[in-house]
Amino acid sequence: MIAQVAGAADAEDRRRQLTKQINTDQREFWSSAAGPKWLQFEAALDHHLQPVLDGVLARADIQSGDAVLDIGCGTGASALQLGTLVGLEGRVVAADISGPMLARAVERAKGRTQLSFIEADAQTHPFDTSQFNHLVSRFGVMFFADSVAAFANMARALKPGGRVTFATWGQIQANPFFTYPAQAARNLIGAPPKVDPDLPGPFAFRDPDRVLDILGQAGLRDVQCETAEVMLTPQGSMMDFADMVMSIGPANAAITHFEADAAQIATLHAMLQDVFAPFEGPEGLRIPAQINFFSAKAA
C-alpha cells in the first residue's frame, strides 16, 4: 500500500512537472515567437477576428456594472470592448501569458480606469475568489496543459452562477484560414513534422463533446456548445492578407522549418493570393470559418 501511494505521488509529481514545462513553453512561444507577429499585424488581426469576438460578446450578454475576467486578452481588443460594455461602474480584469502582448494591451487601454491587466498563467494563477459575473475568452483557452485544472481554477474566480462564454476553432477541415495556407506550403516547400492537434494549440478544442466533458469535470454546470459558421473579415488588399498569412500559422511554420529561400517565399505569396481569390467579393475578403461557442455556469 505504501509503495502504491508513493508511486501515485511520483506520477502526480511528474504530471505537475510536465504541466509546468508545457505552460512554460506556451509562455515562451507567445512572448518570443508568436507575440511579435501579432503585434506587427495587430490591426489586421483585430479586424479579421472581430466577427468571432462579436459572437462571444453577444452570447455573454454582459451588462453595465458587471465584473468580467477576460482570459487570453492578447493585445487588448477584447478588453477594450468589454470595458465599453461594463461602463465606469463595472470592471474588467484581462489576463494573458505573453508579456509583450499584454504591454501593448495596457498601452491601448490608457485612461480606461475600469480596465486592469495581469500577466498570468490562468491554469495556476491565484485569482481572487468569487469576484466576477463573467469569464470570457476569444481563442484564449485552448493552450492549457491541463484543461480541467485550468477551468476549475478560473471557475473559482466566478461568483455563484457566474457565466462562462468562450470561442474556439471548430473542425480543422472547416477552417480554410488554416488549411489553405498549409496545403499551399506543403505543395511548394514541404510538410513540417505533424503535431497532434489534441495537444495545446489552436484546434485542441475542435471537438465539442471533449470540451463539454472538460467543463463538466472542472465543476461547471449547464455546459453547452453552439457550432456556428462565421465569416472572417480580413482588412486591406489580397496582398496584405497574404503578407499576414505568411507571417502566422502553418505557412510560416513551413517557411521556418524548411528555411525557404526568397524565390519560394515569393512563389508561396502568389499562390496564397490565388487560393483565396474565390473568397473575394464586393465587400472584400470574407473567409468562412467554423467556430465553437461554449457556455457554462459556475456552481
Side-chain angles (χ1 to χ4, degrees):
M1 175 65 72
I2 295 175
Q4 290 178 337
V5 172
D10 288 343
E12 177 63 17
D13 184 62
R14 288 193 297 271
R15 185 193 68 79
R16 288 176 178 172
Q17 290 299 319
L18 177 60
T19 296
K20 181 179 179 180
Q21 180 60 48
I22 291 175
N23 286 353
T24 299
D25 290 346
Q26 288 293 329
R27 184 186 300 275
E28 176 65 21
F29 175 75
W30 287 105
S31 297
S32 300
K37 299 290 181 61
W38 277 73
L39 289 170
Q40 179 184 353
F41 291 97
E42 174 191 292
L45 285 165
D46 283 354
H47 200 279
H48 179 63
L49 299 176
Q50 184 61 46
V52 181
L53 181 54
D54 288 341
V56 172
L57 298 180
R59 290 166 174 81
D61 190 28
I62 292 164
Q63 302 297 313
S64 177
D66 280 345
V68 183
L69 180 60
D70 179 13
I71 298 296
C73 67
T75 61
S78 53
L80 290 169
Q81 293 176 55
L82 287 165
T84 299
L85 291 174
V86 303
L88 294 177
E89 299 303 314
R91 69 185 182 107
V92 176
V93 176
D96 203 280
I97 202 169
S98 168
M101 296 175 77
L102 200 67
R104 173 58 180 156
V106 170
E107 179 185 358
R108 295 175 74 184
K110 187 175 181 180
R112 304 284 294 276
T113 57
Q114 69 270 52
L115 304 183
S116 61
F117 298 86
I118 51 174
E119 184 177 339
D121 177 353
Q123 181 175 312
T124 57
H125 182 79
F127 295 108
D128 291 338
T129 304
S130 301
Q131 294 296 306
F132 298 95
N133 308 101
H134 295 272
L135 183 155
V136 301
S137 181
R138 181 193 65 182
F139 297 148
V141 295
M142 305 96 74
F143 305 97
F144 298 119
D146 187 335
S147 295
V148 173
F151 277 100
N153 183 57
M154 293 185 290
R156 283 190 282 272
L158 290 169
K159 298 176 181 180
R163 299 178 63 175
V164 177
T165 313
F166 62 91
T168 73
W169 297 103
Q171 295 298 325
I172 299 173
Q173 65 273 17
N175 284 286
F177 177 59
F178 289 91
T179 59
Y180 281 28
Q183 184 64 52
R186 184 163 52 246
N187 291 342
L188 178 66
I189 304 173
K194 287 188 176 181
V195 177
D196 184 349
D198 288 330
L199 291 176
F203 287 102
F205 279 12
R206 68 193 183 281
D207 179 1
D209 289 338
R210 175 173 179 254
V211 180
L212 294 176
D213 181 62
I214 288 170
L215 298 177
Q217 289 186 56
L220 293 163
R221 61 182 178 85
D222 296 344
V223 295
Q224 298 179 45
C225 177
E226 177 189 352
T227 298
E229 302 303 316
V230 174
M231 284 293 180
L232 306 179
T233 55
Q235 185 182 46
S237 69
M238 181 68 80
M239 290 187 66
D240 295 331
F241 178 68
D243 287 342
M244 182 180 75
V245 170
M246 289 183 64
S247 296
I248 61 174
N252 181 259
I255 290 169
T256 302
H257 181 78
F258 292 104
E259 298 181 346
D261 59 32
Q264 290 174 313
I265 291 172
T267 301
L268 181 57
H269 194 277
M271 289 174 66
L272 290 172
Q273 293 181 65
D274 288 341
V275 298
F276 281 104
F279 299 123
E280 191 167 28
E283 297 182 344
L285 273 169
R286 294 294 181 267
I287 312 295
Q290 185 184 88
I291 305 298
N292 293 330
F293 292 99
F294 291 95
S295 62
K297 291 182 180 179

